[in-house]
């Protein structure tokens, strides 16, 4: 007897044993990074809108320094580029995405902080950036952090360390406008609805590079942002493997090359490799 067409595809998705472990949820079937590595697959969180760092191009390809770091680390963990799924990891959602198992790890201009370490762990650092200011080319009254006075409008991203720094130190002096991505801040700066954008120098350098002379970085950096690779809290094994990969990337020259081929030319900072923190 012929089976009806729906027979082979049960509506409930088949018996539980034939199903791959679901991502996230933290239930009894929650897959680990190791499970994904056995399948040759990884889901990695990056930024999609930060030129030179984590950027999704119109053709669907991914570019930038964080992308290169992610691909190198994945390779050392035995995953080919085709096995990587990049997922957008906006600043304020990163800890939640890691805790929910939406991603295996995140490489997204992600500063290591004690506050974040309560929820997630970090491999690295693989880079050290610093908070800075970006203004329009013609602006003359903002020259550095000391210009943050007189109720100027400053844009940054909610959940970021630069936004927190402004709240902690300049709450009475400037108006902080918080949005969800830095590209939104750049739009606000160009349209004149804010006076400056603040975040890490290399992020600002990437946007300035894209804006062909229309925007400029001013002053020195005024914080230290150590970029780590965020992963599930307590996963010591994956953290150690990622730390090994970062060290190898630095040692074999790929780390320096990755920087020079992406964001490096836009931010001629002296490049000193950081030592990974095996805490
Ligand atoms: N590095 C800072 C942070 O992790 C700012 C960059 C970002 O929001 O991705 O909060």
């Amino acid at each position: 007897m012929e089976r009806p067409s729906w027979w082979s595809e049960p509506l409930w998705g088949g018996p539980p044993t034939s199903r791959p472990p679901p991502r996230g949820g933290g239930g009894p079937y929650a897959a680990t990074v190791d499970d994904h590595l056995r399948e040759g697959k990884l889901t990695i969180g990056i930024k999609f809108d930060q030129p030179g760092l984590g950027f999704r191009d119109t053709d669907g390809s991914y570019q930038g320094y964080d992308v290169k770091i992610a691909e190198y680390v994945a390779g050392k963990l035995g995953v080919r580029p085709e096995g990587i799924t990049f997922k957008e990891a906006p600043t304020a959602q990163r800890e939640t995405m890691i805790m929910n198992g939406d991603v295996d790890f995140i490489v997204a201009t992600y500063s290591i902080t004690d506050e974040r370490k309560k929820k997630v762990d970090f491999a690295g650092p693989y880079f050290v950036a610093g908070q800075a200011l970006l203004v329009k080319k013609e602006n003359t009254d903002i020259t550095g952090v000391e210009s943050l006075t007189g109720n100027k409008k400053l844009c940054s991203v909610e959940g970021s360390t630069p936004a927190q720094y402004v709240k902690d130190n300049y709450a009475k002096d400037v108006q902080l406008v918080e949005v969800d991505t830095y590209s939104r801040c750049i739009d606000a700066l160009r349209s004149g609805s804010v006076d400056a954008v603040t975040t890490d120098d290399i992020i600002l350098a990437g946007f300035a590079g894209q804006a062909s002379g229309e925007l400029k970085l001013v002053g020195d950096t005024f914080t230290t942002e150590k970029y780590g690779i965020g992963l599930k809290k307590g996963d010591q094994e994956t953290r150690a493997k990622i730390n090994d990969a970062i060290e190898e990337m630095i040692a074999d020259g790929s780390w320096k090359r990755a920087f020079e081929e992406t964001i490096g030319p836009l931010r001629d900072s002296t490049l000193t490799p950081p030592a990974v923190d095996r805490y």
Side-chain angles (χ1 to χ4, degrees), residues 51-170:
L53 290 163
F55 193 78
R56 189 179 193 275
D57 231 326
T58 39
D59 65 1
S61 66
Y62 299 97
Q63 326 277 348
Y65 182 57
D66 279 342
V67 172
K68 285 190 186 281
I69 300 275
E71 285 174 347
Y72 185 99
V73 168
K76 286 289 169 185
L77 299 183
V79 176
R80 295 163 165 283
E82 315 83 82
I84 302 173
T85 304
F86 286 115
K87 219 174 197 175
E88 186 170 21
T91 292
Q93 291 172 36
R94 292 176 295 196
E95 289 84 72
T96 311
M97 288 177 77
I98 292 170
M99 288 191 290
N100 287 348
D102 295 336
V103 288
D104 290 302
F105 53 81
I106 288 184
V107 193
T109 59
Y110 199 4
S111 297
I112 302 170
T113 70
D114 288 341
E115 199 54 35
R116 290 172 179 163
K117 270 187 181 171
K118 290 178 188 161
K119 297 178 175 173
V120 301
D121 268 326
F122 288 96
Y126 63 90
F127 190 76
V128 183
Q131 187 170 351
L133 293 166
L134 186 77
V135 296
K136 276 190 178 174
K137 187 184 67 186
E138 57 273 20
N139 182 301
T140 50
D141 63 341
I142 301 178
T143 50
V145 70
E146 63 286 349
S147 323
L148 297 182
T149 57
N151 220 27
K152 293 186 185 85
K153 280 193 180 165
L154 194 58
C155 188
S156 199
V157 164
E158 57 201 4
S160 70
T161 50
Q164 192 57 49
Y165 185 84
V166 172
K167 286 184 210 171
D168 292 345
N169 297 282
Y170 295 94

